[in-house]
Amino acid sequence: MKEILERQRTFFNSNRTKDLDFRIEELQRLKTLLLSNLNRLNEAIYADFGKSPFETFTNEFGLVFLDIDEACKKLKSWAKRKRVRTNWVNFPAKSYIIPEPLGVSLIIGAWNYPYQLSLAPAIAAIAAGNTVILKPSELPSHTSKLLAELINTHFDPAFFHVVEGGVNETTALLEERFDKIFFTGSTTVGRIVYLAAAQHLTPVTLELGGKSPAIFTEGANLQMGIRRLIWAKFLNAGQTCIAPDYVLLPKSIREEFLRLAKEEIERASYSIENGNYVQIINDRNVSRLSQLIDSKKVYSGGKIDQEKRIIEPTLMHEVTFDDPIMQEEIFGPILPILTYDTLAEAISEIKKREKPLSCYIFTGNPALKNKLLNELSFGGGAVNEAIMHISNSRLPFGGVGNSGMGSYHGEAGFRTFSHYKSILEKANWFETKLKYSPYSEGKLKWIKRLMGMK
Ligand code: NAD
């Protein structure tokens, strides 16, 4: 590990990654590598948790390819020096900002979208001119192994290298000095990463989780809203960082909501065979989730197949904020439905908790929409939709407070892996005596006058 790190530092210092064509070539190499191994990549993720090729394309590689294409197309404009106005104090001069790569980056991935969450940050890092050491999550072992095999045999390890491993390997990596650490995972481990980074003053981006609410107001288009919400919740069997964690709605629409939500789940017919459902990642999570299901509050679903690691899409009703399911991020196919008397009460409950990664607002009322957008703090979200904000790369993606810091995707990703170097370039044809000694009352008066002071 130390040797690879040293080689990456030497490679970075050779300035090879400063060349934009080099970055584009490497991004294209990655795309070609993935495209020519799609079958194997599909098989590996299916072996890990039963994810179908359709979903592997739509929510893993589709996003990765879009990211690569966009970076290749826009890189030259993102990497350009940007001129800014020079203030009178510095006349005559020009001022500009040079984006420069940070250096050797460490990317630590989460398991739930094992390709996308490892590769999307790597694309941003490469586009910005960094070298990359990628540590995918060890839980989906087939995908982690295949990523390591493919990347480590097709890229110069001095530029892009995968290190496999779990807690021990990551702990060892975190002892080393990086120029940037990009972490995706839980808030608990996020704290460990942040602490380790502090030892070297390494800048970090933390993409964490939280309990993302979906709020319905009276008059919301229930049919459409529920269709989108149910899809977003049960995609990947709820193992999505931005999945709607729970629903908050007025009592008046509860019965209709429950009926329509159940119908939508039946219509979707979730199963591994249908390609629209996946297994829970491991036994530990199956037992964690099964403890969160309160059988007295199950409205529909609730069956668990321990052996196959499948939990049915489950709706829970009459849930309160005191229930066990409301104490932690669910990260599984269980949707608790809570009611509120007034929207102000709903807002106050959300504000009592940590800032979520996402929030989804289902309403037809612009005043209520704006009230919620204005009063609640969360990473990002959607109105009358859920999770799809992640697919627009012009929207920086990231959390706030306990759900993370920093953002990426599109230009935001490039910025995350760059330092913006500010330069003042002075002309030599003129110089005032104002700033030089000997100082005098007269000079001070002039300075104050130029500053608009009396
Ligand atoms: P995790 O924190 O358990 O693991 C993430 C990574 O950290 C893995 O690579 C793992 O090997 C490593 N790790 C685990 N324990 C460690 C330790 N003690 N020291 C050092 N490294 C350690 O998270 P997870 O279970 O893979 O993912 C689930 C969490 O991630 C959820 O909270 C979810 O919301 C969040 N998440 C966030 C995003 C996002 O984009 N914001 C995306 C996916 C998942």
Side-chain angles (χ1 to χ4, degrees), residues 182-371:
F182 188 106
F183 171 80
T184 306
S186 60
T187 302
T188 311
V189 181
R191 273 197 197 96
I192 296 173
V193 171
Y194 201 19
L195 263 174
Q199 302 309 311
H200 301 289
L201 287 183
T202 300
V204 287
T205 297
L206 300 176
E207 296 283 344
L208 312 176
K211 282 183 92 60
S212 301
I215 308 158
F216 281 72
T217 71
E218 258 158 23
N221 182 334
L222 275 190
Q223 196 95 36
M224 185 71 86
I226 286 171
R227 182 149 216 221
R228 293 173 179 160
L229 175 90
I230 294 297
W231 175 83
K233 174 71 191 187
F234 296 108
L235 180 77
N236 219 36
Q239 302 168 113
T240 303
C241 55
I242 47 171
D245 188 273
Y246 63 99
V247 174
L248 267 172
L249 42 72
K251 285 198 177 89
S252 56
I253 59 174
R254 179 176 57 185
E255 295 316 314
E256 193 185 359
F257 180 96
L258 285 165
R259 182 176 54 78
L260 290 173
K262 182 168 180 257
E263 276 173 27
E264 180 55 25
I265 291 171
E266 284 161 4
R267 192 205 59 77
S269 187
Y270 287 104
S271 73
I272 303 257
E273 295 68 39
N274 289 342
N276 61 356
Y277 212 50
V278 297
Q279 293 170 283
I280 303 301
I281 188 69
N282 57 14
D283 294 336
R284 195 176 64 80
N285 275 289
V286 175
S287 74
R288 179 184 66 81
L289 288 163
S290 57
Q291 280 161 28
L292 295 180
I293 300 179
D294 177 348
S295 58
K296 292 190 294 297
K297 296 195 173 182
V298 169
Y299 179 82
S300 68
K303 282 205 203 85
I304 300 166
D305 185 332
Q306 299 267 3
E307 191 116 323
K308 293 194 177 139
R309 304 199 321 266
I310 301 279
I311 298 183
E312 250 191 333
T314 301
L315 296 177
M316 277 174 62
H317 65 153
E318 290 169 8
V319 176
T320 70
F321 278 104
D322 297 326
D323 288 356
I325 196 153
M326 293 306 293
Q327 311 314 313
E328 59 174 275
E329 180 184 359
I330 299 169
F331 220 57
I334 313 165
L335 183 61
I337 289 126
L338 289 83
T339 54
Y340 62 81
D341 289 321
T342 62
L343 195 61
E345 172 201 324
I347 291 174
S348 138
E349 287 296 343
I350 294 169
K351 281 190 163 175
K352 278 185 206 157
R353 290 158 177 86
E354 298 295 351
K355 293 178 180 180
L357 183 56
S358 312
C359 178
Y360 305 113
I361 299 165
F362 291 88
T363 185
N365 182 325
L368 296 184
K369 170 191 75 181
N370 289 328
K371 183 177 170 64

Side-chain angles (χ1 to χ4, degrees), residues 27-47:
L27 290 173
Q28 291 299 350
R29 182 196 306 278
L30 179 61
K31 186 173 177 185
T32 309
L33 177 66
L34 298 172
L35 277 172
S36 53
N37 286 281
L38 267 188
N39 284 343
R40 286 186 71 201
L41 290 157
N42 283 339
E43 281 161 21
I45 201 167
Y46 190 84

Side-chain angles (χ1 to χ4, degrees), residues 108-112 117 135-138 165-167 170-171 174 183-186 189 192 207-209 241 329 331 357 397:
I108 303 173
W111 60 263
N112 55 328
L117 295 175
K135 208 298 290 175
S137 170
E138 72 284 16
V167 178
T170 318
T171 307
L174 286 171
F183 171 80
T184 306
S186 60
V189 181
I192 296 173
E207 296 283 344
L208 312 176
C241 55
E329 180 184 359
F331 220 57
L357 183 56
F397 178 82

Side-chain angles (χ1 to χ4, degrees), residues 7-8 10-32 68 71-72 75-76 79 101 103 122-132 154-161 414:
R7 284 177 64 188
Q8 290 218 350
T10 308
F11 188 82
F12 181 75
N13 287 335
S14 75
N15 293 320
R16 190 84 181 84
T17 67
K18 298 270 172 75
D19 177 0
L20 300 187
D21 290 328
F22 169 82
R23 301 182 200 175
I24 292 171
E25 269 164 36
E26 296 303 310
L27 290 173
Q28 291 299 350
R29 182 196 306 278
L30 179 61
K31 186 173 177 185
T32 309
I68 293 179
C72 291
L75 182 54
K76 292 197 172 156
I123 291 162
I126 292 172
N130 299 266
T131 68
V132 179
H154 288 81
F155 285 88
D156 182 349
F159 170 62
F160 185 12
H161 189 74
F414 179 90

